[in-house]
Amino acid sequence: MEAILDFNQDLDVGLFDRVVDALFSGKGEEQKMAQQVLTQFTDHEMSWARADRILSDSNSLQSKFIALQILEKLIQTKWKILDEEPRNGIKNFSLNLIVELASSEESLRQNRVFLSKLNLVLVQILKQDWPQKWPDFIPDIVATSRTNLALCENNMAILKLLSEEVFDFSAEQMTQAKAKALKTQMCGEFSSIYSLCMEILQKAVQPSLILATLETLLRFLSWIPFGFIFEMDLINNLCTRFLQPPITRNVTIKCLTEIGSLECGNEYQEQLVNMFTMAVGGLHEILGDLGNVSEEWDEYDDDQQEFIQNVAIFLTSFLSSHLRLVETSASRASVIQAHQYVLRISQVDERELFKVCLEYWNVLVRG
């Protein structure tokens, strides 16, 4: 086992795989020795230089995950002190491997878990190098998305991860100045990303690609300029095209919930009312009057239950924020229908669902 610790010799990838297998499948002293050897290997200052061999030649998924962990640690702790050549080498290797694994629908499905981790490594590089040392990243990812459907789907996952890292987790992982710079850059280049997303939603027929795009948009909605949401066709597309199909209805209602929670002042009140009206109308086409939901709840599958939960969250959060607006501007039928849904969902024997509805009833009673 100790032979993999000799960094003066080429790595025996097959031996490395056997050591990893001993860690995960071995017992007793063999497993203990494998743990010690792998700990020494991953802690070695040059272990990152072996990652490409492992990722290229290993037959063990666990070995490849260890290699990615080594790269991720390097990027987070030593990236700035590396010379430009190894930095570019790691970046290009990661990009090429992603393109290879996401080049076809079959490969994308087979390698989804591994690709998710590899995408995260790429995003860690982006947090270090973009935009100063990687100014063409957004144009490049938009351009490659138009060449291959499977690659486009994975690119959506990368953009989603980047949004999460910059806007959701940045406070814990980077300085305020760095976070602000990345947010400014994302907003400044968002028009090309938005155009790509709209093009996919208007033309794509592959369900997994449409779903990936909607999930990515969901992460964008909290920070993109309001004009993209309220002055374009996004809301209309969500309500008329993606609310009813079972595969997209859950992420779509989450998008509508996010839009309804935005603090956009009085400028877009008309658009909010129209969204509410279209959404309630769309829900009625799917759910009818929902009269038997409490009796039929246990017969629903997980996806149906999740949708009812998401509907409750959408309606209660929207009405809590905009009740006066819809009472004065929306149709009476839409407002009554929305409250009927909340009332009937309140009757379901499910604690967390009841708590969601109860919070709104408290808001309503207090006026």
Side-chain angles (χ1 to χ4, degrees), residues 23-238:
L23 173 64
F24 288 97
S25 304
K27 297 179 181 180
E29 287 299 318
E30 182 188 36
Q31 187 178 52
K32 183 178 180 181
M33 176 63 73
Q35 176 69 68
Q36 292 174 347
V37 170
L38 285 172
T39 299
Q40 288 180 263
F41 181 89
T42 57
D43 288 344
H44 194 282
E45 63 180 2
M46 291 303 295
S47 61
W48 61 269
R50 304 294 180 95
D52 59 338
R53 282 285 311 280
I54 298 170
L55 291 169
S56 298
D57 300 338
S58 173
N59 294 315
S60 166
L61 187 59
Q62 288 94 341
S63 294
K64 293 182 178 183
F65 277 120
I66 289 173
L68 290 179
Q69 289 171 357
I70 292 170
L71 286 181
E72 189 171 13
K73 181 179 178 181
L74 172 78
I75 296 163
Q76 292 174 337
T77 60
K78 298 180 180 179
W79 190 253
K80 295 299 185 183
I81 63 175
L82 283 181
D83 292 335
E84 184 174 354
E85 183 176 350
R87 286 204 310 267
N88 287 336
I90 293 170
K91 179 174 71 175
N92 292 332
F93 177 84
S94 301
L95 277 173
N96 291 335
L97 187 56
I98 287 173
V99 170
E100 177 186 343
L101 295 177
S103 60
S104 71
E105 185 72 19
E106 181 181 4
S107 179
L108 183 66
R109 299 290 166 261
Q110 290 176 346
N111 298 285
R112 185 173 295 281
V113 175
F114 178 62
L115 265 171
S116 296
K117 184 65 175 177
L118 186 56
N119 289 341
L120 186 57
V121 169
L122 180 66
V123 169
Q124 297 299 331
I125 296 174
L126 282 167
K127 288 163 61 179
Q128 300 285 348
D129 282 3
W130 180 67
Q132 289 83 2
K133 296 180 180 179
W134 200 347
D136 297 329
F137 167 70
I138 295 297
D140 286 348
I141 200 170
V142 170
T144 58
S145 295
R146 292 190 166 99
T147 65
N148 182 298
L149 290 179
L151 187 59
C152 180
E153 185 174 332
N154 191 66
N155 285 349
M156 285 293 117
I158 293 172
L159 290 171
K160 174 186 172 185
L161 275 176
L162 182 59
S163 176
E164 291 173 343
E165 290 290 317
V166 172
F167 289 91
D168 298 338
F169 310 137
S170 60
E172 302 172 0
Q173 300 179 359
M174 62 184 79
T175 64
Q176 289 184 348
K178 178 65 174 178
K180 182 178 180 180
L182 290 179
K183 290 175 181 179
T184 300
Q185 189 71 22
M186 282 285 282
C187 290
E189 297 196 56
F190 183 72
S191 60
S192 61
I193 299 174
Y194 182 85
S195 296
L196 173 64
C197 292
M198 290 301 101
E199 184 177 333
I200 294 169
L201 295 180
Q202 290 168 4
K203 298 180 180 179
V205 294
Q206 187 170 309
S208 60
L209 176 56
I210 294 172
L211 185 61
T213 304
L214 289 171
E215 289 174 343
T216 301
L217 274 172
L218 176 60
R219 294 297 182 268
F220 292 161
L221 290 172
S222 64
W223 57 264
I224 63 176
F226 291 148
F228 287 110
I229 300 173
F230 295 108
E231 298 174 18
M232 306 290 189
D233 293 330
L234 176 60
I235 292 175
N236 183 66
N237 278 326
L238 290 173

Side-chain angles (χ1 to χ4, degrees), residues 249-299:
R249 64 178 52 160
N250 271 305
V251 66
T252 299
I253 200 72
K254 289 179 182 178
C255 288
L256 296 178
T257 301
E258 187 68 39
I259 294 171
S261 68
L262 296 174
E263 297 180 3
C264 52
N266 297 326
E267 184 177 359
Y268 297 110
Q269 288 188 344
E270 180 180 351
Q271 289 86 342
L272 284 171
V273 171
N274 289 337
M275 183 185 82
F276 173 78
T277 303
M278 285 191 292
V280 172
L283 291 174
H284 190 262
E285 291 186 31
I286 302 168
L287 302 172
D289 62 6
L290 207 59
N292 299 320
V293 63
S294 58
E295 292 85 3
E296 298 175 354
W297 177 257
D298 291 336
E299 300 175 11

Side-chain angles (χ1 to χ4, degrees), residues 4-28:
I4 68 172
L5 300 176
D6 186 355
F7 283 81
N8 294 317
Q9 303 293 327
D10 289 341
L11 176 67
D12 184 339
V13 178
L15 176 59
F16 186 85
D17 284 351
R18 291 193 292 274
V19 176
V20 172
D21 183 65
L23 173 64
F24 288 97
S25 304
K27 297 179 181 180

